[in-house]
């Protein structure tokens, strides 16, 4: 059944539009007050949990069009609305920023969604409109007009939803050097992305929310690459390089935040960083299907509809508490086995990697005798054991070459992610 926008939300959107007109007509864009400002506050508060109403408020479907590149070209009403929102004196409306970020988070759930049999009621313009809204929000909250001190916990978790549903932009910023880009494909400045993550990088639920969305993005890219009939070790290595770049980008930005808050190497930093990276790695391997409905709220299109709770996500995943870097390497080795990238015969009398792996408790096969390792179920000890297996037991030169390529790609990704966070495209540390 098609979800209908609530009548109250529709009414408040209309009232908010009237408030905008009044504000513009009186020359009060930057300092709206009285009933006009109250109407905007009420409209935002009413639609923060209604993605369709939120998207319609931020980017009205009838006010703009999609160009030949799939980019939303806004009309004057949309431009004026964003001018009002980004010029407003929010100091007089403290709860208003909580409400605005909730609205942008809800609208972001339409990114990368199109009408389909499983998601039939999505407007054909929804992805383009949501992408526009997310870009405006990330530029605004990641820009010079805010500092980390301006962010409430609610703002942090809501904006993490926006970033999670904009994971292609985060991934591009993380691997910027190798892609030859100073900005994302949508033209959003990489420094705005880095600044926004930095500003909520001390919040465990926010970082877990971003890590979940980013993990799903990489999972989709990995499946797409490896489902190609001509896929080989180069495809898998490239995807794990991108995962590693994203992982170390998030780690570096979060560590910057804790260091600047005089909490470097604190237990809070360790827990926040290790949890978010473990979640990112686990979801990139298994996808959101590894999460239960109780753990998080996802749309039919597998985007995130509202902030996630870190403990619920980790409980659902059974995420390892071991070193995330070791876990990522182990997962890549297991993926190589699962995708059948290792040799099918011996190499000058040496055992195949798959034969030596069978002696370990992390190795499993399906009913046909093919490797079927649950990469998300690897404990910290099992991940360490898999790395030891790679270093000490694999002697088949062809198989060793596959494993070396995977390890090298992760090391390269580490350098990329750190460099992107530390470069002049890194965060405004304010």
């Amino acid at each position: 059944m098609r979800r209908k926008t609530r009548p109250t939300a529709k009414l408040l959107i209309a009232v908010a539009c009237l408030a905008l007109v009044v504000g513009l007509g009186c020359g009060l864009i930057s300092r709206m007050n009285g009933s006009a400002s109250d109407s905007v506050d009420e409209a935002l508060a009413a639609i923060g949990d209604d993605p369709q109403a939120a998207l319609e408020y931020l980017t009205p479907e009838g006010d703009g069009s999609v160009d030949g590149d799939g980019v939303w070209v806004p009309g004057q009403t949309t431009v004026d609305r964003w001018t009002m929102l980004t010029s407003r004196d929010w100091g007089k409306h403290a709860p208003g920023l909580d409400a605005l970020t909730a609205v942008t988070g809800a609208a972001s759930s339409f990114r990368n969604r199109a009408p389909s049999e499983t998601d039939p009621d999505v407007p054909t313009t929804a992805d383009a409109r949501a992408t526009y809204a997310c870009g405006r929000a990330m530029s605004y909250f990641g820009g010079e007009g805010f500092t980390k001190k301006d962010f409430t916990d609610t703002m942090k978790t809501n904006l993490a939803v926006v970033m999670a549903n904009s994971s292609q932009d985060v991934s591009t910023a993380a691997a910027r050097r190798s892609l030859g880009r100073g900005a994302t494909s949508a033209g959003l400045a990489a420094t705005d992305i880095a600044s926004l993550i930095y500003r909520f990088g001390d919040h465990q639920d926010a970082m877990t929310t971003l890590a979940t969305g980013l993990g799903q993005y990489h999972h989709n890219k990995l499946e797409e690459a490896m489902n190609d009939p001509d896929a080989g070790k180069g495809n898998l290595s490239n995807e794990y390089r991108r995962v590693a770049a994203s992982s170390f980008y998030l780690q570096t930005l979060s560590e910057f935040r804790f260091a600047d808050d005089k909490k470097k190497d604190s237990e809070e930093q360790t827990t926040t960083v290790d949890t978010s990276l473990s979640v990112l790695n686990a979801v990139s391997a298994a996808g959101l299907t590894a999460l239960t409905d109780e753990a998080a709220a996802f749309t039919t299109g597998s985007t995130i509809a509202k902030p996630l709770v870190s403990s619920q996500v980790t409980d659902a995943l059974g995420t390892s508490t071991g070193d995330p870097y070791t876990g990522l390497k182990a997962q890549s080795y297991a993926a190589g086995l699962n995708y059948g990238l290792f040799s099918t015969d011996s190499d000058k009398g040496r055992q195949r990697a798959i034969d030596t792996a069978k002696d370990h408790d992390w190795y499993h096969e399906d009913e046909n005798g093919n490797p079927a390792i649950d990469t998300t179920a690897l404990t910290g000890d099992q991940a360490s054991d898999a790395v030891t297996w790679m270093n000490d037991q694999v002697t088949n030169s062809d198989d060793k070459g596959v494993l070396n390529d995977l390890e090298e790609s992760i090391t390269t990704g580490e350098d990329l992610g750190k460099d992107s966070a530390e470069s002049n495209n890194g965060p405004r540390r304010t």
Side-chain angles (χ1 to χ4, degrees), residues 71 111 130-132 134-139 162-163 165-197 214 217 242 246 249 253 420 425-426:
V71 175
R111 285 203 73 171
T131 298
Y132 174 85
C134 289
R136 291 298 305 263
M138 289 187 285
S139 179
V162 176
M163 298 296 278
N165 290 326
S166 304
S167 288
Q168 61 266 53
D169 298 320
V170 179
S171 175
T172 299
R176 177 191 54 78
R177 192 182 74 202
S178 66
L179 298 174
R181 297 174 183 165
T184 70
S185 57
L188 181 67
T191 191
D192 289 342
I193 292 175
S195 299
L196 187 47
I197 297 172
L214 195 52
Y217 169 77
R242 298 288 301 273
S246 293
Y249 184 65
L253 294 173
S420 294
N425 287 285

Short mmCIF file of all heavy atoms in Angstrom, two decimals, residues 71 111 130-132 134-139 162-163 165-197 214 217 242 246 249 253 420 425-426:
data_model
loop_
_atom_site.label_atom_id
_atom_site.label_comp_id
_atom_site.label_asym_id
_atom_site.label_seq_id
_atom_site.Cartn_x
_atom_site.Cartn_y
_atom_site.Cartn_z
N VAL A 71 20.90 14.99 -12.96
CA VAL A 71 21.06 15.95 -11.87
C VAL A 71 19.80 16.79 -11.73
O VAL A 71 19.22 17.24 -12.73
CB VAL A 71 22.28 16.86 -12.14
CG1 VAL A 71 22.39 17.94 -11.06
CG2 VAL A 71 23.56 16.03 -12.19
N ARG A 111 17.87 8.48 -1.66
CA ARG A 111 19.03 8.41 -2.55
C ARG A 111 19.21 6.98 -3.06
O ARG A 111 18.99 6.00 -2.32
CB ARG A 111 20.31 8.85 -1.83
CG ARG A 111 20.42 10.34 -1.62
CD ARG A 111 21.85 10.80 -1.44
NE ARG A 111 22.61 10.76 -2.69
CZ ARG A 111 23.84 11.28 -2.84
NH1 ARG A 111 24.43 11.87 -1.81
NH2 ARG A 111 24.46 11.21 -3.99
N ALA A 130 16.77 13.92 -3.86
CA ALA A 130 17.43 13.62 -2.59
C ALA A 130 18.92 13.92 -2.66
O ALA A 130 19.52 14.40 -1.69
CB ALA A 130 17.20 12.16 -2.21
N THR A 131 19.53 13.65 -3.81
CA THR A 131 20.95 13.94 -3.98
C THR A 131 21.20 15.44 -3.86
O THR A 131 22.17 15.87 -3.23
CB THR A 131 21.45 13.42 -5.34
OG1 THR A 131 21.28 11.99 -5.38
CG2 THR A 131 22.91 13.76 -5.57
N TYR A 132 20.32 16.23 -4.47
CA TYR A 132 20.44 17.68 -4.37
C TYR A 132 20.33 18.13 -2.91
O TYR A 132 21.14 18.93 -2.42
CB TYR A 132 19.37 18.36 -5.22
CG TYR A 132 19.32 19.86 -5.06
CD1 TYR A 132 20.16 20.68 -5.81
CD2 TYR A 132 18.45 20.46 -4.15
CE1 TYR A 132 20.13 22.07 -5.65
CE2 TYR A 132 18.41 21.84 -3.99
CZ TYR A 132 19.25 22.64 -4.74
OH TYR A 132 19.21 24.00 -4.57
N CYS A 134 20.82 16.42 -0.15
CA CYS A 134 21.96 15.96 0.64
C CYS A 134 23.19 16.83 0.38
O CYS A 134 23.94 17.16 1.30
CB CYS A 134 22.28 14.50 0.33
SG CYS A 134 21.07 13.32 0.97
N GLY A 135 23.39 17.18 -0.89
CA GLY A 135 24.52 18.03 -1.22
C GLY A 135 24.44 19.38 -0.53
O GLY A 135 25.43 19.88 0.01
N ARG A 136 23.25 19.97 -0.53
CA ARG A 136 23.07 21.26 0.13
C ARG A 136 23.30 21.13 1.64
O ARG A 136 23.94 21.98 2.26
CB ARG A 136 21.65 21.80 -0.13
CG ARG A 136 21.38 22.23 -1.56
CD ARG A 136 22.27 23.37 -2.01
NE ARG A 136 22.20 24.54 -1.14
CZ ARG A 136 21.45 25.61 -1.36
NH1 ARG A 136 20.68 25.67 -2.44
NH2 ARG A 136 21.48 26.64 -0.52
N ALA A 137 22.78 20.04 2.22
CA ALA A 137 22.92 19.84 3.66
C ALA A 137 24.37 19.59 4.05
O ALA A 137 24.87 20.16 5.04
CB ALA A 137 22.04 18.67 4.11
N MET A 138 25.08 18.76 3.30
CA MET A 138 26.47 18.46 3.64
C MET A 138 27.35 19.68 3.48
O MET A 138 28.27 19.92 4.28
CB MET A 138 26.98 17.29 2.79
CG MET A 138 26.37 15.95 3.16
SD MET A 138 27.11 14.53 2.31
CE MET A 138 26.41 14.71 0.66
N SER A 139 27.10 20.47 2.45
CA SER A 139 27.86 21.70 2.25
C SER A 139 27.59 22.70 3.36
O SER A 139 28.50 23.38 3.84
CB SER A 139 27.50 22.30 0.89
OG SER A 139 28.21 23.50 0.66
N VAL A 162 22.35 11.26 6.77
CA VAL A 162 22.58 11.90 5.47
C VAL A 162 23.86 11.36 4.84
O VAL A 162 23.90 11.01 3.66
CB VAL A 162 22.67 13.42 5.62
CG1 VAL A 162 23.00 14.08 4.29
CG2 VAL A 162 21.35 13.99 6.17
N MET A 163 24.92 11.28 5.63
CA MET A 163 26.20 10.81 5.12
C MET A 163 26.14 9.32 4.75
O MET A 163 26.72 8.89 3.75
CB MET A 163 27.30 11.04 6.15
CG MET A 163 27.51 12.49 6.50
SD MET A 163 28.10 13.47 5.10
CE MET A 163 29.84 13.09 5.15
N ASN A 165 23.63 7.65 3.66
CA ASN A 165 22.91 7.49 2.41
C ASN A 165 23.61 8.18 1.24
O ASN A 165 23.17 8.08 0.10
CB ASN A 165 21.48 8.02 2.55
CG ASN A 165 20.63 7.14 3.46
OD1 ASN A 165 20.80 5.93 3.50
ND2 ASN A 165 19.72 7.75 4.20
N SER A 166 24.70 8.87 1.54
CA SER A 166 25.52 9.52 0.52
C SER A 166 26.90 8.88 0.47
O SER A 166 27.91 9.55 0.24
CB SER A 166 25.64 11.02 0.83
OG SER A 166 24.39 11.63 0.96
N SER A 167 26.93 7.58 0.68
CA SER A 167 28.21 6.89 0.84
C SER A 167 29.09 6.94 -0.39
O SER A 167 30.32 6.87 -0.27
CB SER A 167 27.96 5.42 1.24
OG SER A 167 27.50 5.35 2.56
N GLN A 168 28.51 7.06 -1.59
CA GLN A 168 29.37 7.17 -2.76
C GLN A 168 30.21 8.44 -2.71
O GLN A 168 31.35 8.45 -3.18
CB GLN A 168 28.55 7.12 -4.05
CG GLN A 168 27.54 8.23 -4.24
CD GLN A 168 26.17 7.84 -3.75
OE1 GLN A 168 26.00 7.39 -2.61
NE2 GLN A 168 25.18 7.99 -4.61
N ASP A 169 29.67 9.50 -2.10
CA ASP A 169 30.43 10.74 -1.95
C ASP A 169 31.54 10.58 -0.92
O ASP A 169 32.66 11.07 -1.11
CB ASP A 169 29.50 11.88 -1.54
CG ASP A 169 28.43 12.17 -2.58
OD1 ASP A 169 28.76 12.13 -3.78
OD2 ASP A 169 27.28 12.42 -2.20
N VAL A 170 31.24 9.88 0.18
CA VAL A 170 32.25 9.64 1.21
C VAL A 170 33.37 8.77 0.66
O VAL A 170 34.56 9.04 0.86
CB VAL A 170 31.61 8.97 2.45
CG1 VAL A 170 32.67 8.69 3.51
CG2 VAL A 170 30.50 9.85 3.03
N SER A 171 33.01 7.70 -0.06
CA SER A 171 34.01 6.81 -0.64
C SER A 171 34.90 7.54 -1.63
O SER A 171 36.12 7.33 -1.66
CB SER A 171 33.31 5.63 -1.33
OG SER A 171 34.25 4.81 -1.99
N THR A 172 34.31 8.41 -2.43
CA THR A 172 35.09 9.18 -3.40
C THR A 172 36.06 10.12 -2.69
O THR A 172 37.22 10.24 -3.08
CB THR A 172 34.17 9.99 -4.32
OG1 THR A 172 33.33 9.09 -5.04
CG2 THR A 172 34.96 10.82 -5.32
N ALA A 173 35.60 10.77 -1.62
CA ALA A 173 36.48 11.65 -0.86
C ALA A 173 37.62 10.87 -0.22
O ALA A 173 38.76 11.34 -0.16
CB ALA A 173 35.69 12.40 0.20
N ALA A 174 37.33 9.65 0.25
CA ALA A 174 38.34 8.83 0.91
C ALA A 174 39.43 8.35 -0.05
O ALA A 174 40.60 8.25 0.30
CB ALA A 174 37.69 7.63 1.58
N ALA A 175 39.03 8.06 -1.28
CA ALA A 175 39.98 7.54 -2.28
C ALA A 175 40.31 8.61 -3.31
O ALA A 175 40.70 8.30 -4.44
CB ALA A 175 39.40 6.31 -2.96
N ARG A 176 40.17 9.88 -2.91
CA ARG A 176 40.29 11.00 -3.84
C ARG A 176 41.57 10.98 -4.66
O ARG A 176 41.57 11.19 -5.86
CB ARG A 176 40.22 12.31 -3.03
CG ARG A 176 40.39 13.58 -3.83
CD ARG A 176 40.57 14.76 -2.90
NE ARG A 176 41.65 14.54 -1.97
CZ ARG A 176 42.94 14.66 -2.29
NH1 ARG A 176 43.28 14.99 -3.51
NH2 ARG A 176 43.87 14.44 -1.38
N ARG A 177 42.71 10.69 -4.00
CA ARG A 177 44.00 10.77 -4.70
C ARG A 177 44.08 9.80 -5.87
O ARG A 177 44.50 10.16 -6.96
CB ARG A 177 45.15 10.49 -3.73
CG ARG A 177 46.53 10.82 -4.29
CD ARG A 177 47.60 10.46 -3.29
NE ARG A 177 47.80 9.01 -3.22
CZ ARG A 177 48.33 8.38 -2.19
NH1 ARG A 177 48.69 9.05 -1.11
NH2 ARG A 177 48.49 7.07 -2.21
N SER A 178 43.59 8.58 -5.65
CA SER A 178 43.69 7.57 -6.72
C SER A 178 42.70 7.85 -7.83
O SER A 178 42.88 7.39 -8.96
CB SER A 178 43.45 6.17 -6.15
OG SER A 178 42.11 6.03 -5.70
N LEU A 179 41.64 8.61 -7.52
CA LEU A 179 40.63 8.91 -8.52
C LEU A 179 40.94 10.22 -9.26
O LEU A 179 40.25 10.57 -10.21
CB LEU A 179 39.25 9.01 -7.87
CG LEU A 179 38.75 7.73 -7.20
CD1 LEU A 179 37.44 8.00 -6.47
CD2 LEU A 179 38.57 6.61 -8.21
N GLY A 180 41.94 10.94 -8.79
CA GLY A 180 42.31 12.18 -9.45
C GLY A 180 41.28 13.27 -9.27
O GLY A 180 41.12 14.13 -10.13
N ARG A 181 40.57 13.26 -8.14
CA ARG A 181 39.51 14.25 -7.92
C ARG A 181 39.75 15.03 -6.64
O ARG A 181 40.18 14.49 -5.63
CB ARG A 181 38.14 13.57 -7.81
CG ARG A 181 37.70 12.85 -9.08
CD ARG A 181 36.42 12.11 -8.80
NE ARG A 181 35.99 11.34 -9.96
CZ ARG A 181 35.07 10.38 -9.92
NH1 ARG A 181 34.48 10.11 -8.78
NH2 ARG A 181 34.72 9.72 -11.00
N GLY A 182 39.44 16.31 -6.69
CA GLY A 182 39.48 17.12 -5.49
C GLY A 182 38.10 17.23 -4.86
O GLY A 182 37.94 17.77 -3.79
N ALA A 183 37.11 16.76 -5.57
CA ALA A 183 35.74 16.83 -5.07
C ALA A 183 35.01 15.57 -5.48
O ALA A 183 35.55 14.73 -6.21
CB ALA A 183 35.02 18.06 -5.64
N THR A 184 33.81 15.39 -5.01
CA THR A 184 33.05 14.20 -5.35
C THR A 184 32.46 14.35 -6.74
O THR A 184 32.52 15.41 -7.36
CB THR A 184 31.90 13.99 -4.35
OG1 THR A 184 30.92 15.01 -4.55
CG2 THR A 184 32.41 14.05 -2.92
N SER A 185 31.84 13.27 -7.21
CA SER A 185 31.25 13.29 -8.55
C SER A 185 30.14 14.32 -8.67
O SER A 185 29.82 14.80 -9.75
CB SER A 185 30.71 11.90 -8.91
OG SER A 185 29.77 11.48 -7.94
N ALA A 186 29.52 14.67 -7.54
CA ALA A 186 28.44 15.65 -7.55
C ALA A 186 28.96 17.07 -7.40
O ALA A 186 28.18 18.02 -7.36
CB ALA A 186 27.45 15.35 -6.44
N GLY A 187 30.28 17.23 -7.32
CA GLY A 187 30.86 18.55 -7.20
C GLY A 187 30.93 19.06 -5.77
O GLY A 187 31.32 20.20 -5.53
N LEU A 188 30.58 18.23 -4.80
CA LEU A 188 30.64 18.63 -3.39
C LEU A 188 32.10 18.63 -2.93
O LEU A 188 32.84 17.69 -3.20
CB LEU A 188 29.82 17.64 -2.54
CG LEU A 188 29.75 17.92 -1.05
CD1 LEU A 188 28.96 19.19 -0.78
CD2 LEU A 188 29.08 16.75 -0.34
N ALA A 189 32.52 19.67 -2.26
CA ALA A 189 33.91 19.78 -1.83
C ALA A 189 34.25 18.68 -0.83
O ALA A 189 33.51 18.44 0.13
CB ALA A 189 34.16 21.15 -1.20
N ALA A 190 35.38 18.03 -1.06
CA ALA A 190 35.80 16.95 -0.16
C ALA A 190 36.02 17.46 1.25
O ALA A 190 35.80 16.73 2.22
CB ALA A 190 37.07 16.28 -0.71
N THR A 191 36.46 18.70 1.40
CA THR A 191 36.71 19.23 2.73
C THR A 191 35.42 19.39 3.52
O THR A 191 35.42 19.30 4.75
CB THR A 191 37.47 20.57 2.66
OG1 THR A 191 37.93 20.91 3.95
CG2 THR A 191 36.59 21.69 2.10
N ASP A 192 34.28 19.62 2.85
CA ASP A 192 32.99 19.69 3.55
C ASP A 192 32.60 18.32 4.09
O ASP A 192 32.07 18.20 5.20
CB ASP A 192 31.90 20.21 2.61
CG ASP A 192 32.06 21.69 2.29
OD1 ASP A 192 32.78 22.38 3.03
OD2 ASP A 192 31.47 22.13 1.29
N ILE A 193 32.86 17.29 3.29
CA ILE A 193 32.57 15.92 3.74
C ILE A 193 33.43 15.58 4.95
O ILE A 193 32.94 15.08 5.96
CB ILE A 193 32.81 14.92 2.60
CG1 ILE A 193 31.78 15.13 1.49
CG2 ILE A 193 32.77 13.48 3.11
CD1 ILE A 193 32.00 14.26 0.28
N ALA A 194 34.73 15.86 4.85
CA ALA A 194 35.64 15.55 5.95
C ALA A 194 35.27 16.33 7.21
O ALA A 194 35.30 15.79 8.32
CB ALA A 194 37.08 15.87 5.53
N SER A 195 34.90 17.59 7.06
CA SER A 195 34.55 18.42 8.21
C SER A 195 33.30 17.92 8.90
O SER A 195 33.22 17.92 10.14
CB SER A 195 34.34 19.88 7.77
OG SER A 195 35.51 20.41 7.20
N LEU A 196 32.32 17.49 8.12
CA LEU A 196 31.08 17.01 8.70
C LEU A 196 31.31 15.72 9.48
O LEU A 196 30.82 15.56 10.61
CB LEU A 196 30.04 16.79 7.60
CG LEU A 196 28.62 16.44 8.04
CD1 LEU A 196 28.13 17.36 9.14
CD2 LEU A 196 27.68 16.49 6.84
N ILE A 197 32.10 14.80 8.93
CA ILE A 197 32.41 13.56 9.67
C ILE A 197 33.19 13.88 10.93
O ILE A 197 32.94 13.31 12.00
CB ILE A 197 33.18 12.58 8.77
CG1 ILE A 197 32.31 12.16 7.57
CG2 ILE A 197 33.62 11.35 9.56
CD1 ILE A 197 33.06 11.35 6.53
N LEU A 214 28.02 3.03 4.63
CA LEU A 214 29.22 2.93 3.81
C LEU A 214 29.57 1.47 3.52
O LEU A 214 29.98 1.12 2.42
CB LEU A 214 30.37 3.64 4.52
CG LEU A 214 31.64 3.97 3.73
CD1 LEU A 214 31.32 4.72 2.45
CD2 LEU A 214 32.61 4.75 4.60
N TYR A 217 27.29 0.25 0.79
CA TYR A 217 27.74 0.76 -0.51
C TYR A 217 28.88 -0.10 -1.06
O TYR A 217 28.85 -0.52 -2.23
CB TYR A 217 28.20 2.21 -0.36
CG TYR A 217 28.91 2.74 -1.59
CD1 TYR A 217 28.21 3.11 -2.73
CD2 TYR A 217 30.31 2.86 -1.60
CE1 TYR A 217 28.87 3.58 -3.85
CE2 TYR A 217 30.97 3.33 -2.72
CZ TYR A 217 30.24 3.69 -3.84
OH TYR A 217 30.91 4.14 -4.96
N ARG A 242 39.33 0.04 -1.97
CA ARG A 242 38.35 1.09 -1.70
C ARG A 242 37.76 0.96 -0.29
O ARG A 242 37.54 1.97 0.39
CB ARG A 242 37.23 1.05 -2.74
CG ARG A 242 37.66 1.29 -4.17
CD ARG A 242 38.04 2.73 -4.43
NE ARG A 242 36.97 3.67 -4.16
CZ ARG A 242 36.03 4.01 -5.05
NH1 ARG A 242 36.05 3.50 -6.27
NH2 ARG A 242 35.09 4.87 -4.73
N SER A 246 38.13 3.83 2.73
CA SER A 246 37.02 4.35 3.51
C SER A 246 37.23 4.12 5.01
O SER A 246 36.97 4.99 5.84
CB SER A 246 35.70 3.71 3.06
OG SER A 246 35.36 4.10 1.75
N TYR A 249 39.97 6.41 6.34
CA TYR A 249 39.48 7.79 6.27
C TYR A 249 38.61 8.08 7.49
O TYR A 249 38.82 9.09 8.19
CB TYR A 249 38.67 7.94 4.98
CG TYR A 249 38.15 9.32 4.67
CD1 TYR A 249 39.01 10.38 4.38
CD2 TYR A 249 36.77 9.55 4.58
CE1 TYR A 249 38.52 11.64 4.04
CE2 TYR A 249 36.27 10.81 4.23
CZ TYR A 249 37.15 11.84 3.97
OH TYR A 249 36.65 13.07 3.62
N LEU A 253 39.66 10.69 10.69
CA LEU A 253 38.81 11.83 11.01
C LEU A 253 38.28 11.74 12.44
O LEU A 253 38.24 12.75 13.17
CB LEU A 253 37.65 11.92 10.02
CG LEU A 253 38.04 12.24 8.57
CD1 LEU A 253 36.82 12.14 7.66
CD2 LEU A 253 38.66 13.63 8.47
N SER A 420 43.91 11.28 2.37
CA SER A 420 42.74 12.11 2.06
C SER A 420 42.26 12.89 3.28
O SER A 420 41.83 14.04 3.17
CB SER A 420 41.60 11.24 1.51
OG SER A 420 41.95 10.68 0.27
N ASN A 425 42.47 18.76 1.64
CA ASN A 425 41.06 18.45 1.47
C ASN A 425 40.48 17.79 2.71
O ASN A 425 39.37 17.30 2.70
CB ASN A 425 40.85 17.51 0.26
CG ASN A 425 41.05 18.24 -1.06
OD1 ASN A 425 40.20 19.01 -1.48
ND2 ASN A 425 42.18 18.01 -1.70
N GLY A 426 41.27 17.80 3.77
CA GLY A 426 40.82 17.25 5.04
C GLY A 426 39.87 18.20 5.76
O GLY A 426 39.43 19.20 5.21
#
